[in-house]
Amino acid sequence: MKAAPDAQKRLLDLAELDSVADRLAHRRRTLPELAEIDEQSKRYAKLATEVIEAETEAGDLAREQAKAEGDVDTVRARAERDQKRLDSGAVTSPKDLASLQSEIASLHRRQGDLEEVVLEIMERREAADSKVADLRGKLDEVAAARGAAEDRRDAALVEIDKEAGETAGRRSAVAGDIPADLLGLYEKLREQYGVGAAMLRGGRCQGCKVALSIAEMNRIKAAPHDDVLRCDECRRILVRTAESGL
Ligand SMILES: [Zn+2]
């Protein structure tokens, strides 16, 4: 293939812009915020499950407490009713009176036991409620941290998009200076090797950094200026410049 030396040199500008585009794409994929958002999302999901578990436990205890309080009320009502019967003087037989008094005493004991059960449930419920509040607080913190990381990610992406847009604009201007067949070869090589063209600098290919042999340098010296050369090592287009050492 043949191309004017100036057109060949434009390939180096194109390769430089393509490497900028590659760096931007790499930066876009590896933004530290992406890993951070992922980490916070995992923490959020785990905490959300813990919140639901804690809320379920607190809800169960609230129902248990209501039931135990109902039991206390029932026993208290029975004791009050018996007390009224006793106070009314309607029960006169000593045997019945003794039996009534014994039942009242037994109900009072039962009420005391049930009130202790209520207190014990209340303590557990307080602990469960405070666990719910604690977990909800942590959940809010994680949500805020994730939101902040998302904002930073978005700001970085806006910056990258802006730079990528400018690079693409400059690239199409440069590509316009390069004949279609040479550009086609460059694109094909870029697809295969990541970089399509490299400068020959001081007898060394800047693509693979390999120094050319004397025989190879002699062959290049003898080649017409418009010959499109390739590096024997890396197959990239080898562009001659004043720095080539020829
Ligand atoms: Zn090379």
Side-chain angles (χ1 to χ4, degrees), residues 198 204-210 212 230-236 238:
R204 204 175 277 274
C205 165
Q206 292 301 298
C208 59
K209 309 292 180 192
V210 166
L212 275 63
R230 301 276 294 276
C231 171
D232 275 347
E233 284 297 326
C234 68
R235 304 307 298 150
R236 294 180 176 108
L238 204 51

Side-chain angles (χ1 to χ4, degrees), residues 95-245:
K95 191 170 159 260
D96 287 349
L97 278 173
S99 154
L100 196 54
Q101 276 163 342
S102 150
E103 186 181 311
I104 289 168
S106 154
L107 285 168
H108 280 154
R109 277 195 303 276
R110 173 98 183 108
Q111 185 182 334
D113 290 347
L114 287 171
E115 279 168 350
E116 264 183 43
V117 169
V118 170
L119 282 175
E120 186 257 334
I121 294 169
M122 278 170 78
E123 270 170 27
R124 281 164 57 205
R125 194 184 161 193
E126 214 171 282
D129 284 345
S130 105
K131 190 177 172 190
V132 168
D134 181 49
L135 285 169
R136 277 190 188 144
K138 281 185 186 155
L139 193 67
D140 288 347
E141 275 171 29
V142 170
R146 184 175 63 179
E150 282 168 348
D151 288 348
R152 275 185 277 118
R153 173 203 60 194
D154 292 346
L157 287 179
V158 165
E159 203 55 40
I160 290 170
D161 284 345
K162 186 167 160 273
E163 248 182 277
E166 285 164 5
T167 305
R170 288 213 299 280
R171 189 194 196 276
S172 43
V174 171
D177 293 341
I178 299 167
D181 57 348
L182 183 60
L183 187 61
L185 175 62
Y186 170 89
E187 298 286 19
K188 202 180 110 216
L189 293 172
R190 172 166 159 73
E191 216 167 276
Q192 279 178 300
Y193 305 115
V195 181
M199 190 200 291
L200 174 63
R201 175 187 278 155
R204 204 175 277 274
C205 165
Q206 292 301 298
C208 59
K209 309 292 180 192
V210 166
L212 275 63
S213 68
I214 293 168
E216 185 63 12
M217 285 297 277
N218 284 336
R219 188 181 69 80
I220 291 173
K221 272 177 204 167
H225 287 306
D226 60 351
D227 265 11
V228 174
L229 306 174
R230 301 276 294 276
C231 171
D232 275 347
E233 284 297 326
C234 68
R235 304 307 298 150
R236 294 180 176 108
I237 299 167
L238 204 51
V239 180
R240 285 162 287 176
T241 73
E243 296 169 60
S244 291

